[in-house]
Amino acid sequence: MIEEVYTEYRECYSTLERAYGYLKLDRYEWESLHLRYFIYYLRKYDIQSIECFISYHYKVSYRLYLDEIGRTMIH
């Protein structure tokens, strides 16, 4: 499931990397962050299968997470 979702969201992740470019992460840091957040999301919401995965909620949740990272880096 992880590989399936990561591949499906590759374009979304690229958009996020551009939008949050001020975080100054390199390619490997971004990939690590995407994967770590995805695993955190699956565990937090106890998602056991792709049928339980809600795309919109994941995207919004990830953006909020990145916003919080940005706020902590600025202050």
Side-chain angles (χ1 to χ4, degrees):
M1 180 167 82
I2 292 173
E3 185 176 347
E4 179 182 340
V5 172
Y6 188 80
T7 301
E8 181 180 335
Y9 286 90
R10 191 175 311 252
E11 187 175 321
C12 175
Y13 292 145
S14 293
T15 302
L16 291 173
E17 290 170 19
R18 286 190 302 277
Y20 293 91
Y22 61 87
L23 296 177
K24 306 286 188 211
L25 302 176
D26 67 25
R27 179 177 181 233
Y28 297 106
E29 290 171 319
W30 273 116
E31 290 204 20
S32 174
L33 183 62
H34 299 322
L35 181 59
R36 285 183 291 132
Y37 185 78
F38 181 64
I39 291 169
Y40 163 79
Y41 181 86
L42 293 176
R43 295 203 60 198
K44 178 177 181 171
Y45 295 103
D46 194 29
I47 297 172
Q48 302 294 321
S49 68
I50 196 70
E51 291 80 25
C52 299
F53 184 78
I54 301 169
S55 176
Y56 179 78
H57 186 265
Y58 173 68
K59 289 177 184 178
V60 170
S61 176
Y62 194 25
R63 277 191 173 270
L64 291 172
Y65 176 73
L66 291 172
D67 285 342
E68 186 60 30
I69 289 175
R71 277 193 292 279
T72 60
M73 290 181 75
I74 291 172
H75 292 106

